[in-house]
Amino acid sequence: MAFTLDGDDVCQPISPTPIPDPYWVGFSSSAAQLIGIELSDDGYPRDPQWLEVLAGNSLEVSNHQFTNPIATVYSGHQFGVWAGQLGDGRAILLGEIAGQELQLKGAGMTRYSRMGDGRAVLRSSIREFLCSEAMHALGIPSTRALSIVGSPLPVRRETMETAAVCSRLAPSFIRIGHFEHFASSQQYVRLKELADLLIRNHYPECLNAEQPYLDLYSKICERNAILVAQWQSVGFCHGVLNSDNISALGLTMAYGPFGFLDHFQIDHVCNHSDQAGRYAYHRQPQIMHSNMACLASAFLPLIESSCDEAKAQTILRDALEHFPRVYAKTWQTLFRSKLGFEVSHENDIGLIERLIQAMHDSRVDFTSFFRQLGSVRQEQKPAELLLRDQFIDRPLIDCWFGDYLERLKLESSDDIKRKSKMNAINPKYILRNHLAQTAIENAQNGDYAEVSRLLRILSKPYDEQAEYEDYSIAPPDSLQKIAVSCSS
C-alpha cells in the first residue's frame, strides 16, 4: 500500500523532472509481473508510454495515472553520528500500483536534496538494478528494480557522466529513519500514525498483540536480524548501513557502495569512503543491532503511552536483546546448510568458525569454495581433495577436511542428495564487481547487451548454466580491488 501520510511536515508533493531523449538500458520482466505490465516479445513493455513514465517524463500509462507523487522526509544516523533531517533527495514515490509502491531514483531535485542535484548516473543505476534483482533471485528480501532508463543529460560526479533513472518497487519504502525523524522532532502524533500505518498494511498480526507497538518493534528487529544473517551467508557487504538506509520491512534497500566478497576477507570494506571500516563484513551484525537500538529510541514515546518511562526503557531493552539471539540462530542454520548439515551437532559451530578463519587466512574465494564443497564425497581422503589447494596451510586444512568428512557420516543423505541440497543454498553466480564494471563500461559506450545478459544469469544463481561458466569464476588479482564510493 502506498505511503498515505500527507502534510507539509511529512512529504513534498512533487512531480519528477523530465529527462531528454530517454532510452531503455535494462528492464526486469520478473519485476514487471508484480505490477501487471504487459510485455512485447523483446521483453520490454508493450505500451511505449511506460518508457516515459519510468523516465519521469509522464504520470499516466495504460489506464493508470499516478496522481500524487511525493518525496518523503526522514532523519537518521550516518556513520554512527546523528545527521538530523534527511529525506528523499532524488527519489520520488509515484504511488501505488498492484500493491507495490513505485519509486523513481534519480528523478530530479526535491526539497530534501540539500546540496545534491537530484540525479543518478548510469554507473550506479546499473549496479543497483542488477543487485536488487540478484538479491531477489538469491531468496534474500530486497526492494525490486523494474528498469533503468538512460539519457544523454550530463551529470557531474568525480567526472562528467550521463543521467539515468532507476525505478524501484517495494510493498513499502518506510525506513527506520522515518521513525527517527518524527521521534526526534517530537511529532508524536505523526509517529503513532506511521506505526499504525505499518501495522495496518504490513504487520496486521500486531493488532491482536497485548502491546501492538512493542510487537511491531520486535518484528522489525527480527526481520532485520534474519536479513543480515542472510547477507553474511552469501558474502554480501552493504557498504552504508546508516539507520536511514534500513527498511522497516526487513528488505535490502539503498544500494549504494556494496559488494559481494570474492577472495574472503572477514574485515573486508566495500566502500572506499568508509576509511574506519565501520561497515566491514564482520561488523554488519553489530551495526544492524545498533540501528535497531536507534529504532528503540524512536519507539520509546509509543511504549510510554501505556507505561512509565523506566518500564518502557526496560521493555524495549529486553526486546532489543532478542536481536542477537535471532541473528545467531539464523546464521548457524544457514552455515550448517551451506556445509550440508541437516541436523545440528554440538561441534558444528567450531567447525564452521575454523573454516572461516582458514578461508580468511588464505583469501579463498567465498562463493566458489562453498559451491565446490558440495562435490566432496564422504569416502574421499583430505589429501585427495582439490579444494585443499586453495589454502596456504595444507596440514591445517587437511585436519579440517578430516573432521568435516567425519561429520558428514552423521548425515542421512547420500552424496548426490547432499550435493543437490547444498547447491540450492550455495549460489554459483553472484554480482561480482568486475562483472558489473564490464556491463557499466559497455553501457557507457552505448552497448546494453551485457546488462541484459547479467540480469539473465543472475536470475538463476543456483543453476549450473554451463554456457556462462566464465561468469562464476573469481576475478584475476588485477580486478580484485575495484573501488566503489558513495558517489552516484
Side-chain angles (χ1 to χ4, degrees):
M1 297 293 293
F3 190 94
T4 54
L5 302 186
D6 57 17
D8 190 65
D9 59 331
V10 174
C11 60
Q12 175 193 13
I14 185 171
S15 294
T17 303
I19 55 174
D21 304 319
Y23 55 84
W24 294 117
V25 174
F27 190 84
S28 170
S29 57
S30 172
Q33 291 176 4
L34 289 174
I35 57 175
I37 296 178
E38 293 186 13
L39 304 181
S40 299
D41 292 340
D42 62 1
Y44 288 92
R46 187 180 303 277
D47 186 343
Q49 187 64 12
W50 271 110
L51 176 62
E52 297 299 321
V53 169
L54 299 179
N57 294 357
S58 174
L59 295 174
E60 187 172 0
V61 62
S62 302
N63 300 319
H64 188 94
Q65 186 168 8
F66 297 100
T67 58
N68 187 34
I70 59 172
T72 67
V73 65
Y74 51 81
S75 297
H77 287 79
Q78 298 191 330
F79 289 89
V81 177
W82 177 246
Q85 180 180 306
L86 303 165
D88 293 326
R90 55 181 170 169
I92 295 177
L93 178 63
L94 293 187
E96 184 267 340
I97 179 170
Q100 297 285 319
E101 292 184 352
L102 175 59
Q103 186 184 76
L104 302 185
K105 181 177 180 179
M109 291 180 65
T110 74
R111 72 160 66 123
Y112 313 115
S113 296
R114 295 182 287 174
M115 301 297 292
D117 58 14
R119 292 299 184 188
V121 296
L122 185 61
R123 162 181 49 86
S124 61
S125 298
I126 288 173
R127 285 176 54 82
E128 173 153 5
F129 173 77
L130 290 174
C131 197
S132 299
E133 292 304 278
M135 292 292 271
H136 170 72
L138 287 167
I140 298 175
S142 174
T143 56
R144 301 294 301 276
L146 177 61
S147 67
I148 315 168
V149 175
S151 168
L153 179 71
V155 177
R156 177 169 292 282
R157 292 297 181 260
E158 286 89 348
T159 61
M160 192 62 76
E161 302 185 53
T162 57
V165 177
C166 182
S167 57
R168 310 190 287 193
L169 295 169
S172 174
F173 286 95
I174 294 175
R175 306 161 182 251
I176 302 308
H178 283 104
F179 285 96
E180 287 191 281
H181 177 76
F182 295 130
S184 66
S185 57
Q186 299 183 341
Q187 294 176 267
Y188 299 139
V189 172
R190 288 300 198 188
L191 182 67
K192 182 179 184 299
E193 288 176 344
L194 183 64
D196 290 343
L197 171 69
L198 205 57
I199 289 174
R200 184 170 62 252
N201 293 340
H202 305 289
Y203 292 90
E205 65 276 19
C206 296
L207 283 169
N208 299 321
E210 183 177 345
Q211 298 186 64
Y213 298 131
L214 177 62
D215 197 43
L216 173 62
Y217 173 76
S218 297
K219 284 181 166 52
I220 294 174
C221 282
E222 183 174 305
R223 288 194 187 186
N224 280 290
I226 293 170
L227 178 67
V228 75
Q230 291 176 302
W231 291 348
Q232 300 297 93
S233 75
V234 295
F236 175 76
C237 299
H238 187 283
V240 193
L241 278 178
N242 298 328
S243 64
D244 59 291
N245 287 337
I246 307 302
S247 164
L249 298 188
L251 307 174
T252 312
M253 69 183 304
Y255 290 91
F258 65 81
F260 285 88
L261 295 171
D262 290 317
H263 295 169
F264 183 67
Q265 185 177 348
I266 198 166
D267 55 350
H268 173 74
V269 179
C270 65
N271 178 1
H272 77 61
S273 301
D274 183 14
Q275 297 180 357
R278 176 179 175 82
Y279 299 139
Y281 170 79
H282 69 306
R283 289 179 176 160
Q284 291 189 127
Q286 169 194 340
I287 295 300
M288 187 67 86
H289 188 206
S290 175
N291 285 327
M292 293 303 104
C294 293
L295 181 62
S297 296
F299 262 67
L300 190 58
L302 296 173
I303 307 302
E304 286 178 351
S305 64
S306 60
C307 62
D308 61 47
E309 181 179 357
K311 185 175 181 180
Q313 290 177 342
T314 299
I315 288 172
L316 281 167
R317 190 179 301 114
D318 291 344
L320 176 62
E321 288 317 302
H322 186 54
F323 178 98
R325 293 191 291 270
V326 173
Y327 168 77
K329 180 179 179 181
T330 307
W331 185 92
Q332 292 171 13
T333 298
L334 289 170
F335 273 86
R336 279 193 175 100
S337 297
K338 289 177 75 66
L339 290 180
F341 303 157
E342 295 181 8
V343 296
S344 61
H345 186 273
E346 60 182 356
N347 296 327
D348 288 350
I349 305 307
L351 195 65
I352 295 168
E353 290 176 344
R354 285 167 53 200
L355 173 62
I356 288 174
Q357 184 63 55
M359 292 176 70
H360 170 82
D361 292 341
S362 297
R363 299 295 191 266
V364 172
D365 186 79
F366 186 88
T367 302
S368 296
F369 175 83
F370 279 108
R371 181 71 176 195
Q372 294 167 15
L373 192 63
S375 298
V376 170
R377 302 188 305 277
Q378 290 186 32
E379 70 273 12
Q380 289 181 290
K381 294 180 173 56
E384 300 172 349
L385 300 175
L386 294 178
L387 278 175
R388 68 192 290 268
D389 294 339
Q390 299 181 27
F391 294 83
I392 297 171
D393 191 334
R394 299 293 179 82
L396 182 145
I397 201 60
D398 284 349
C399 179
W400 184 87
F401 271 118
D403 293 341
Y404 175 64
L405 292 167
E406 284 297 313
R407 171 63 181 83
L408 288 180
K409 294 177 182 178
L410 301 177
E411 297 295 319
S412 58
S413 296
D414 60 30
D415 288 336
I416 295 176
K417 290 181 179 178
R418 177 172 49 81
K419 179 178 180 178
S420 177
K421 291 179 179 178
M422 291 176 69
N423 283 359
I425 193 172
N426 291 317
K428 183 168 183 176
Y429 301 94
I430 56 169
L431 182 60
R432 298 179 185 270
N433 269 341
H434 73 289
L435 299 178
Q437 187 62 27
T438 297
I440 289 167
E441 291 174 0
N442 288 358
Q444 288 172 333
N445 290 317
D447 179 0
Y448 314 115
E450 191 65 14
V451 174
S452 297
R453 184 177 299 110
L454 266 180
L455 178 64
R456 187 165 59 250
I457 295 168
L458 296 170
S459 69
K460 299 178 180 179
Y462 300 103
D463 293 357
E464 282 298 325
Q465 303 188 71
E467 68 273 31
Y468 297 124
E469 187 71 26
D470 289 349
Y471 287 80
S472 70
I473 300 172
D477 291 341
S478 61
L479 297 179
Q480 273 288 318
K481 296 182 178 181
I482 295 175
V484 182
S485 74
C486 292
S487 170
S488 60

